[in-house]
Amino acid sequence: MANLGEIVEKVRSKNAGPFWLTIDIFCGTAPAFAQVCEGLSTERVANIFAVEAKTLKRFEIPSLNVVKFSLPRPVIQGSVADRDMHGASWAALLSEVELN
Amino acid sequence: MRVTGSKWVQSDRYTVKLEGAVVAGYQSVLIALLRDKRYVEKAQAWADDIKEKCTRKVVDRLGILADEFEIELRLIGKNASFGPLETRTNDPHEIGILAIVTAKTQDLATEIAQILNPYLLHHPLTSEEEQPTFAFPFSPADMARGAVYSFCLNHVLELSDPMDAFSLEVLTHG
């Protein structure tokens, strides 16, 4: 079983304003795109970031072989508990998940 | 613990201990976090490359010499405690970057830290890959630490009379 990061070209994350994070999965090929769409449920992603699945927005863009998730930042950017001002590390956590 | 048997041993000479410190520069520090597997594995090469490129940029842009400032990147989780003396080679999943800039004034240290900032945020291991981003726990990322001191005097002064090195001035008020 392979990790997401080993299957796709690139996973990256960043802030989308201070209240949202967005994570882009560049799958690279149509088969990899299909594998991610089938093997990575919204619930799993929500679990990884300890947020409710219904708060996630999922975008599948076949013309670009991209899957994208946006979610409310568990900690608002710049607040005392924020560990990652630009939301940069979230991609690393997602890219280590094993696909179903 | 109980200590007994101590003796007072009279010295045949009278000495005064002298200690002194001098301002060795001013510092600004930054902290960044590597969590991407590839960057964690190659953190030392990444840090060495940043130090070299950023030092060159500071020299070019500010017109100062490379020996007028110092950029040090300590890899927390890898070798921040002992540097080259570290013997353990563990396999961390994240590494903290403690960046320490030392320069002749606080303004200069802060300016150099701000030139270093985008390297810590975005420096890629190779020029072919997409620009990465790393986690900064603070914003603004650079923190002024003020003066750093070093010992400049650690000496024992021998006096034939205890007051030879000192003068007393007695003022009477009221």
Side-chain angles (χ1 to χ4, degrees):
Chain A
M1 192 64 75
N3 290 343
L4 176 65
E6 294 162 355
I7 292 165
V8 305
E9 267 186 9
K10 173 86 181 170
V11 185
R12 71 174 186 196
S13 61
K14 57 176 68 174
N15 293 336
F19 307 112
W20 283 80
L21 277 169
T22 194
I23 305 170
D24 306 319
I25 305 168
F26 297 90
C27 302
T29 63
F33 176 72
Q35 200 178 345
V36 173
C37 287
E38 286 163 28
L40 186 62
S41 69
T42 305
E43 289 70 26
R44 297 247 338 261
V45 178
N47 263 341
I48 291 167
F49 300 119
V51 295
E52 285 188 51
K54 65 179 183 196
T55 64
L56 260 74
K57 295 179 186 174
R58 178 185 181 118
F59 306 91
E60 296 180 358
I61 310 161
S63 59
L64 297 174
N65 291 322
V66 163
V67 180
K68 178 184 174 81
F69 292 95
S70 292
L71 59 139
R73 244 178 167 279
V75 174
I76 294 169
Q77 187 209 1
S79 57
V80 174
D82 190 13
R83 299 164 186 266
D84 183 354
M85 289 286 156
H86 303 91
S89 285
W90 300 81
L93 207 55
L94 186 62
S95 69
E96 288 168 11
V97 73
E98 285 188 357
L99 288 193
N100 286 331
Chain B
M1 191 171 76
R2 183 182 165 88
V3 177
T4 59
S6 300
K7 280 194 297 188
W8 171 259
V9 181
Q10 186 79 37
S11 172
D12 57 0
R13 50 194 192 127
Y14 187 88
T15 58
V16 174
K17 187 162 170 53
L18 292 180
E19 290 183 355
V22 65
V23 173
Y26 293 80
Q27 290 187 328
S28 281
V29 296
L30 307 93
I31 294 175
L33 300 166
L34 298 182
R35 180 61 178 76
D36 180 284
K37 191 168 184 286
R38 198 164 140 261
Y39 280 82
V40 168
E41 283 167 1
K42 297 184 175 166
Q44 191 65 62
W46 179 81
D48 292 346
D49 196 38
I50 287 177
K51 179 174 168 154
E52 187 204 319
K53 290 197 165 79
C54 187
T55 299
R56 205 160 57 220
K57 180 172 275 186
V58 169
V59 168
D60 288 349
R61 192 184 286 180
L62 303 183
I64 58 176
L65 299 172
D67 63 7
E68 290 180 77
F69 65 97
E70 193 191 353
I71 295 170
E72 192 188 357
L73 302 179
R74 295 185 191 166
L75 304 184
I76 297 173
K78 191 173 172 69
N79 58 17
S81 299
F82 293 114
L85 295 179
E86 183 56 72
T87 55
R88 292 277 297 268
T89 50
N90 59 350
D91 188 18
H93 64 273
E94 71 172 357
I95 288 178
I97 313 297
L98 172 60
I100 307 169
V101 175
T102 310
K104 286 181 176 169
T105 65
Q106 186 64 63
D107 283 349
L108 188 56
T110 295
E111 190 166 3
I112 294 168
Q114 289 170 357
I115 294 172
L116 179 59
N117 175 317
Y119 285 93
L120 297 176
L121 189 60
H122 288 310
H123 188 61
L125 272 169
T126 61
S127 55
E128 292 81 44
E129 66 199 81
E130 192 188 327
Q131 182 178 271
T133 305
F134 306 105
F136 276 9
F138 308 119
S139 180
D142 63 290
M143 293 162 271
R145 233 186 56 69
V148 56
Y149 299 89
S150 61
F151 261 106
C152 65
L153 181 64
N154 187 15
H155 191 70
V156 177
L157 192 62
E158 268 189 58
L159 300 176
S160 49
D161 183 282
M163 288 305 289
D164 274 357
F166 308 99
S167 60
L168 279 182
E169 191 179 348
V170 180
L171 300 174
T172 308
H173 291 277

